[in-house]
């Protein structure tokens, strides 16, 4: 491992030790201060995020756009600190769950579940809850270039029992998760380049991963959307929704869960990760 990767690993472990010893309120205060600093002084992807928010909400004025953007920084600084502080940060929160019966009924079918979420709300808290409630939960993860960061964050997520398949590994492993009645977790809201399928996202065609729909079509495993949004720094809401796939093709299924995710983003726009180049690939 490169020296820079080793330093990153030690730094993240140091942060974990520091933040884990703080109260939830103090962690929230620090994250709010950091979020404000990053909003005011960090320019990385800031223009892209502002452009994305305006594209999604063209009816908003500049002040409203900036309010969403600033709160986005605050939210995701808090999410980052809570992830670093696991498992301690999970022990001091309240979670209300809606749609738990849908999850349980799908598990009883013994076909596995194709589980879809996006970079919305507190998706790390969502993963922690699922890992504690479901016998087998496997997320498909992107390998980070910095090995120190990659190993640290994978270990944090696996504290509750989550397992991972690194993107690019054999797709056979993913089918095995479903055959073992597990939840195969897919984050399906990033630009999928030319390999994706174009569906509307906030009224504009966006290249979207088609893996979730393909897994469902090939295995008949039910499709389930899950999101976790934040009410305050200690209270969260998890919603599960079945995706209606009856008489729908690949594109229609992908549009269905993309539209469902969009509906949540419209309700809580500052809890979406606007920094992705979501509409980078153009439809030809």
């Amino acid at each position: 491992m490169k020296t820079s990767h080793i330093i990153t690993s030690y730094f993240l472990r140091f942060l974990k030790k520091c933040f884990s010893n703080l109260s939830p309120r103090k962690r929230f205060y620090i994250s709010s201060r950091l979020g404000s600093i990053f909003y005011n002084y960090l320019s990385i992807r800031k223009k892209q995020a502002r452009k994305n928010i305006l594209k999604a909400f063209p009816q908003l004025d500049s002040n409203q756009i900036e309010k969403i953007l600033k709160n986005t920084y605050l939210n995701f600084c808090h999410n980052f600190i809570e992830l670093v502080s696991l498992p301690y940060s999970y022990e001091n929160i309240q979670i209300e769950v809606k749609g738990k019966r849908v999850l349980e009924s799908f598990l009883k079918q013994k076909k596995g579940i194709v589980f879809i979420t996006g970079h919305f709300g507190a998706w790390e808290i969502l993963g922690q809850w699922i890992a504690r409630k479901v016998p087998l939960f496997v997320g498909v993860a992107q390998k980070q270039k910095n090995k120190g960061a990659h190993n640290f964050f994978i270990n944090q997520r696996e504290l509750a029992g989550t397992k991972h398949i690194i993107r690019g590994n054999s797709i056979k492993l993913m089918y095995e998760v479903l055959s073992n009645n597990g939840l195969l977790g897919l984050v399906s809201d990033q630009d999928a380049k030319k390999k994706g399928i174009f569906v509307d996202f906030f009224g504009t065609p966006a290249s979207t991963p088609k893996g979730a729909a393909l897994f469902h079509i090939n295995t008949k495993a039910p499709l389930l959307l899950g999101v976790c949004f934040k009410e305050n720094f200690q209270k969260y809401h998890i919603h599960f929704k079945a995706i209606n796939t009856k008489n729908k093709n690949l594109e229609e299924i992908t549009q269905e869960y993309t539209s469902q995710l969009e509906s949540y983003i419209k309700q809580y726009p500052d809890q979406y990760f606007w920094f992705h180049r979501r509409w980078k690939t153009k439809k030809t």
Side-chain angles (χ1 to χ4, degrees), residues 122-168:
W123 63 84
E124 301 291 358
I125 296 297
L126 175 63
Q128 291 290 305
W129 187 91
I130 293 172
R132 287 168 167 80
K133 303 296 182 180
V134 175
L136 178 61
F137 176 46
V138 182
V140 179
Q142 183 71 39
K143 188 173 184 179
Q144 297 185 39
K145 293 180 180 179
N146 187 309
K147 292 182 180 179
H150 176 82
N151 293 338
F152 176 83
F153 290 121
I154 289 293
N155 289 337
Q156 285 296 97
R157 291 168 181 139
E158 291 185 346
L159 288 170
T162 303
K163 300 182 185 299
H164 288 88
I165 296 173
I166 303 304
R167 195 179 301 277

Side-chain angles (χ1 to χ4, degrees), residues 7-224:
I7 293 172
T8 300
S9 178
Y10 277 110
F11 178 66
L12 288 170
R13 280 185 274 173
F14 170 74
L15 289 181
K16 175 175 180 173
K17 185 175 181 180
C18 292
F19 288 134
S20 295
N21 290 324
L22 299 178
S23 69
R25 188 174 295 277
K26 286 183 178 179
R27 287 199 304 270
F28 180 71
Y29 173 77
I30 292 172
S31 67
S32 297
R33 300 303 299 165
L34 287 175
S36 183
I37 291 170
F38 290 156
Y39 168 74
N40 286 300
Y41 301 106
L42 194 66
S43 60
I44 299 173
R45 292 289 181 97
K46 188 176 183 179
K47 289 184 179 179
Q48 182 65 54
R50 185 182 288 116
K51 180 181 177 181
N52 286 346
I53 297 170
L54 181 59
K55 193 179 190 74
F57 302 100
Q59 75 279 10
L60 300 183
D61 61 35
S62 59
N63 289 332
Q64 292 171 311
I65 296 293
E66 289 306 308
K67 183 178 180 181
I68 291 174
L69 180 58
K70 183 177 182 179
N71 285 336
T72 299
Y73 276 91
L74 302 184
N75 271 314
F76 288 101
C77 279
H78 184 238
N79 285 355
F80 173 79
I81 288 177
E82 295 298 272
L83 170 60
V84 169
S85 306
L86 289 172
Y88 306 100
S89 55
Y90 188 85
E91 296 170 356
N92 297 295
I93 59 176
Q94 300 174 25
I95 301 176
E96 291 188 2
V97 182
K98 183 178 180 180
K100 186 178 178 181
R101 289 184 179 179
V102 177
L103 170 64
E104 294 170 342
S105 67
F106 281 175
L107 285 172
K108 289 178 181 178
Q109 294 181 23
K110 302 294 183 181
K111 296 178 181 179
I113 298 174
V114 181
F115 180 73
I116 313 157
T117 190
H119 292 90
F120 168 78
W123 63 84
E124 301 291 358
I125 296 297
L126 175 63
Q128 291 290 305
W129 187 91
I130 293 172
R132 287 168 167 80
K133 303 296 182 180
V134 175
L136 178 61
F137 176 46
V138 182
V140 179
Q142 183 71 39
K143 188 173 184 179
Q144 297 185 39
K145 293 180 180 179
N146 187 309
K147 292 182 180 179
H150 176 82
N151 293 338
F152 176 83
F153 290 121
I154 289 293
N155 289 337
Q156 285 296 97
R157 291 168 181 139
E158 291 185 346
L159 288 170
T162 303
K163 300 182 185 299
H164 288 88
I165 296 173
I166 303 304
R167 195 179 301 277
N169 285 354
S170 173
I171 198 169
K172 181 181 178 182
L173 296 174
M174 303 177 197
Y175 280 105
E176 287 178 356
V177 174
L178 298 175
S179 65
N180 288 318
N181 198 32
L183 265 74
L184 179 66
L186 302 169
V187 181
S188 300
D189 68 329
Q190 287 183 280
D191 181 86
K193 302 179 181 180
K194 297 298 182 182
K195 294 181 180 180
I197 187 168
F198 283 89
V199 297
D200 281 351
F201 186 59
F202 285 94
T204 301
S207 176
T208 304
K210 54 189 176 184
L214 282 173
F215 279 119
H216 164 73
I217 290 170
N218 292 337
T219 66
K220 304 305 178 185
L223 273 171
L224 182 68

